[in-house]
Amino acid sequence: MAAASLDPITAPPTAQFGVGCAPGTSSTARGAVDPELASGRGDEAAAPLADRLARAITLAGPISLAQFMAAANQQYYATRDPLGSGGDFTTAPEISQMFGELIGLWGADLWDRAGRPHAAWVELGPGRGTLSTDALRAAGKAGFAPPVHLVETSPVLRAAQAERLPHATWHDAIDTLPTDRPLIVIANEFFDALPIRQLVKGAGGWFERLVACQDTLFLPIAGKQVPDGVIPEALRDAAAGSVIETSPASVAILRSLAQRIVAQGGALLVVDYGYDGPAVGDTLQAVRGHAYANPYEAPGEQDLTAHVDFGTLAAAAIVEGAQVAGPIGQGAFLGALGIAARAAALAKAAPDRAEGITADHQRLTQAMGTLFQVLAVSSPDWPLPAGFA
Ligand code: SAH
């Protein structure tokens, strides 16, 4: 705690912040501190994450928000399937098969116009594997049946994916994806789960947001001042209390995939909630049981996300020599791919489900229509992807 002082701008009243950071007080600790753990001889990995983070902060000082978010989400996804009505949130492929099918046809169309090369299908953070299952069924009918590569760190979700996509190859990270063929890569609600940094405007400049632990609470505090040079020029004079977010992990993945696509051919489709940044705004949020929660509470027990800065991702892809389409709203994208015709065909085939199909169509294109954005990054040697006209 010595490394940074509490910042009156960024530190909210402690009463708003609920759950314990002192070892043994977390919601998952359930009772007294294990004496083995308290003496430092316990199995650290088995201790609740809140306790491990509290211990690390007590010993070595506040950690960056990116470290807090990375640790929280790693634990969160490793220990559960969070999707669906019984979980914490629902995603587009879990709402309707139309979403994955249209993305499969999008990939098949691009592959066809690129001359039908031996390409691989890749999904980043595939959740239950629903999107790729729907996509590959539709793509197969169009003659496109590529090998499937899934980038997934969670053992629980890998098991769910294996039930639907038994012939897939799994990867911990993008580095091990095939290097000898074009890649058609899909990332739906993947980038929002990657860690962000926050820079907060305070007296005389911008400060890195850190996560401290005081009494029994995790809370955001201001750390070291960062040079003004790292703040985009247009945002430098923002009002006190303004927050700028960056996601070095997202940019690194985007750049590396863009390099691969330029060298190997193919395309990347990113679908997520986001904005055309860089811009000012604190978008860190926690979701638990389909409701918003305090992001500094119960690390590892709730989903932490931030809105995706599509402007910065697109700029990173362009620097690597890739061509970029979008970002455009998910509603416009799915509309251009023919979701209305697909919804009509499904409703005709199952008239008893027509009302539900119409509701799903509206949810995907209206409720999620502009909040969710779609960006395509593709090889300059490939045709432009469909859906962005
Ligand atoms: N795309 C799915 C699931 C979204 S939830 C859908 O739309 O339904 C986020 C997914 O990303 C989960 O599968 C989660 O385990 C995975 N994930 C989160 N962080 C990751 C990381 N750093 N590396 C690989 N996968 C990650």
Side-chain angles (χ1 to χ4, degrees):
M1 202 92 43
S5 59
L6 288 177
D7 174 3
I9 295 170
T10 57
T14 48
Q16 287 178 14
F17 282 82
V19 138
C21 72
T25 63
S26 82
S27 61
T28 51
R30 304 201 204 292
V33 182
D34 178 322
E36 283 240 316
L37 200 64
S39 69
R41 288 180 290 111
D43 176 8
E44 279 286 299
L49 178 63
D51 289 2
R52 283 183 279 137
L53 287 174
R55 190 181 304 277
I57 292 170
T58 306
L59 290 173
I63 57 176
S64 72
L65 176 59
Q67 283 174 299
F68 181 81
M69 187 171 173
N73 273 352
Q74 202 275 332
Q75 165 83 6
Y76 175 77
Y77 285 108
T79 51
R80 77 205 71 211
D81 171 358
L83 293 152
S85 54
D88 290 326
F89 58 92
T90 299
T91 56
E94 300 298 333
I95 291 171
S96 167
Q97 69 189 77
M98 293 186 283
F99 186 76
E101 288 170 348
L102 289 169
I103 288 177
L105 293 173
W106 173 89
D109 163 71
L110 188 61
W111 162 81
D112 181 49
R113 288 187 289 121
R116 303 194 159 215
H118 288 288
W121 178 270
V122 179
E123 190 179 350
L124 311 181
R128 291 176 172 171
T130 309
L131 192 163
S132 282
T133 303
D134 293 334
L136 292 163
R137 187 180 59 246
K141 289 181 186 160
F144 181 40
V148 179
H149 292 263
L150 304 176
V151 179
E152 176 60 69
T153 42
S154 161
V156 174
L157 290 171
R158 276 190 183 200
Q161 292 152 21
E163 284 187 20
R164 292 172 175 189
L165 299 157
H167 304 298
T169 304
W170 279 267
H171 302 262
D172 287 326
I174 57 172
D175 331 10
T176 52
L177 290 171
T179 52
D180 62 346
R181 58 185 64 209
L183 304 174
I184 297 192
V185 188
I186 312 298
N188 184 63
E189 291 211 40
F190 169 75
F191 283 99
D192 66 70
L194 298 185
I196 55 157
R197 294 174 69 193
Q198 286 188 338
L199 304 169
V200 186
K201 184 76 178 285
W206 294 83
F207 297 80
E208 170 101 32
R209 179 164 275 178
L210 303 179
V211 179
C213 164
Q214 193 182 47
D215 300 327
T216 59
L217 306 162
F218 287 111
L219 73 175
I221 64 165
K224 280 203 182 122
Q225 185 163 4
V226 298
D228 270 8
V230 307
I231 306 296
E233 211 172 333
L235 306 180
R236 253 173 237 168
D237 295 328
S242 298
V243 173
I244 293 175
E245 297 178 341
T246 67
S247 178
S250 299
V251 171
I253 289 176
L254 201 294
R255 287 186 70 158
S256 169
L257 282 174
Q259 282 167 10
R260 292 286 210 100
I261 285 167
V262 169
Q264 298 171 218
L268 160 69
L269 191 72
V270 180
V271 186
D272 225 310
Y273 38 95
Y275 56 99
D276 200 355
V280 158
D282 178 353
T283 74
L284 180 70
Q285 67 183 33
V287 169
R288 192 175 193 175
H290 297 267
Y292 291 112
N294 175 348
Y296 295 96
E297 214 171 87
E301 300 302 316
Q302 49 191 19
D303 183 39
L304 286 186
T305 66
H307 288 209
V308 171
D309 177 356
F310 280 96
T312 296
L313 294 187
I318 289 166
V319 167
E320 299 302 332
Q323 65 183 356
V324 161
I328 64 164
Q330 174 174 303
F333 178 73
L334 295 176
L337 296 184
I339 192 171
R342 183 68 189 130
L346 284 174
K348 198 172 167 203
D352 52 319
R353 286 181 46 229
E355 236 171 75
I357 291 163
T358 303
D360 293 345
H361 173 198
Q362 285 176 352
R363 191 166 168 199
L364 291 175
T365 57
Q366 288 169 28
M368 299 172 80
T370 51
L371 174 63
F372 280 75
Q373 298 279 310
V374 185
L375 173 76
V377 171
S378 57
S379 159
D381 304 329
W382 274 44
L384 271 173
F388 296 90

